[in-house]
Amino acid sequence: MGWPVLALLARSDPADLRAEQPAGPPILTPLAGTDTSAITIEWAMALLLNHPNAMQKVWVEIDSNVGRDCLVDDSDLPKLNYLQNVINQTIRLFPSVLVILPHESTHDCTISGFDIPKGTMLLVNAWTIHRGHKLWEDSTSFIPERFGEGNEGYKLLPFGGGRRVCLGAVLGRRVVGLVLGSLIQSFEWGRIGPEAVDLAKGPGLTMPKAQPLEAMCKPRQAMIHILDNLC
Ligand code: HEM
């Protein structure tokens, strides 16, 4: 999350914060990174609880690539393709920044046939692009298998784009992957009732769930020796 937060902190005019300026003081970074990452983890869990087969596939992938003698580590993430697909699918359907932060055209340009004068405030609606039926087949469905070719381009922009692209995109993906991976590796998860988890979105800058996620979990037998050592 970029300059609105920075502007708030600095109590300055957002117009002063131009593209050539650095992303802000160190205090901005934790603010921008924690909520977005936490909310993405919550949406991913909600989607997986509604798609137990996908949850099972993540677990099998972790079990065969990482094993049961240690928790998922940073170096394991590149091997966990299905987990990465789940994350991509989550940030496609529920990008924590729905409408990318305002950008400004630095010169006259044309976008999709519209003439945009220099100095225009431009807002990109990631939510609509990510769910566009012309861009995505079965666009509102959770299908982790759809990813893998790595050519999504500007169809998928949960971290924005251009020179003000999210500074913490790599870290954000890594944190989400490690937390999600460890939770699925260590616990068996289930819904609190027979009905599907409600996926309604609530109000807020970073699109939280309308209802905080509630779920059941119990430690996996094979992981108890690892979990015991964490205490
Ligand atoms: C899943 C996690 C995250 C998501 C979905 C996310 C999303 C975004 C988006 C959409 C933007 C606006 C980009 C644009 O204007 O084109 C942004 C900017 C930014 N993000 Fe993130 N972010 C995440 C995690 C993080 C983390 C972990 C950090 C830092 C540790 C971080 C730091 C920043 C900063 C500093 C900016 C402003 C960059 C600039 O204006 O130059 N973000 N983020």
Side-chain angles (χ1 to χ4, degrees), residues 97-108:
V97 185
L98 248 89
V99 177
I100 306 296
L101 306 177
H103 286 233
E104 184 182 301
S105 51
T106 50
H107 52 266
D108 295 347

Side-chain angles (χ1 to χ4, degrees), residues 1-2 29 32-33 36 40 96-97 100 103 158-161 164 166-168 171:
M1 305 281 303
T29 308
T36 44
T40 303
S96 52
V97 185
I100 306 296
H103 286 233
F159 298 99
R164 300 313 293 249
C166 173
L167 196 75
L171 178 63

